[in-house]
Amino acid sequence: MRKDSNDNIMNFRSIITPVLALLFLSTVSCKNSDDQKQDESMEKAKVEHEVAPRDSALYKMGQRHAAYMLSGSTHNDTICAKLLDIRARETDIRNRVDDEAADAYILGFQHFIIKENPELADSIF
């Protein structure tokens, strides 16, 4: 009789353990998905708050220029030349348009670099 009881306990454990593991993994997966959605919506709200609607095109331009910079060579001299080009564009926007527009351009550039290459962001910002 005792052996049957132990067999039942073992069968119960062999069923419960995978079920609990699956439940735990699905809970963690759902939480990460919810956190990611919340982070994305907070980031979008932050950008919308920091960039005036009239400057959103310059923000997007900054993001495109950051993507272009990351898609090219990773050689230090090439990155430095591209960063100088970014600063020249910022200065041109600042002189021709205004400070807020130039700030939106740089903000778009910075957000993209921080998101896509945090190590590079740490070294240049």
Side-chain angles (χ1 to χ4, degrees), residues 61-94:
M61 181 190 294
Q63 288 183 317
R64 284 193 308 273
H65 290 166
Y68 172 73
M69 186 184 93
L70 292 179
S71 70
S73 172
T74 58
H75 190 266
N76 203 22
D77 291 339
T78 305
I79 291 175
C80 286
K82 289 179 180 179
L83 286 172
L84 286 172
D85 189 45
I86 295 295
R87 287 299 180 190
R89 282 193 182 105
E90 175 195 11
T91 301
D92 191 44
I93 294 168
R94 205 169 292 285

Side-chain angles (χ1 to χ4, degrees), residues 20-116:
L20 289 175
L22 188 60
L23 182 62
F24 174 75
L25 290 175
S26 66
T27 302
V28 170
S29 175
C30 290
K31 182 175 180 359
N32 288 340
S33 177
D34 291 343
D35 288 348
Q36 184 178 8
K37 288 178 184 176
Q38 185 178 8
D39 290 345
E40 288 173 1
S41 65
M42 286 176 58
E43 183 176 324
K44 184 176 179 182
K46 180 180 177 185
V47 169
E48 289 172 354
H49 177 73
E50 293 178 6
V51 177
R54 70 178 180 91
D55 296 329
S56 63
L58 287 166
Y59 177 87
K60 290 175 184 172
M61 181 190 294
Q63 288 183 317
R64 284 193 308 273
H65 290 166
Y68 172 73
M69 186 184 93
L70 292 179
S71 70
S73 172
T74 58
H75 190 266
N76 203 22
D77 291 339
T78 305
I79 291 175
C80 286
K82 289 179 180 179
L83 286 172
L84 286 172
D85 189 45
I86 295 295
R87 287 299 180 190
R89 282 193 182 105
E90 175 195 11
T91 301
D92 191 44
I93 294 168
R94 205 169 292 285
N95 291 335
R96 291 178 184 231
V97 185
D98 63 18
D99 289 342
E100 289 81 17
D103 292 344
Y105 173 76
I106 288 299
L107 194 60
F109 179 82
Q110 289 175 339
H111 283 170
F112 190 88
I113 298 292
I114 290 167
K115 180 180 176 186
E116 297 298 321

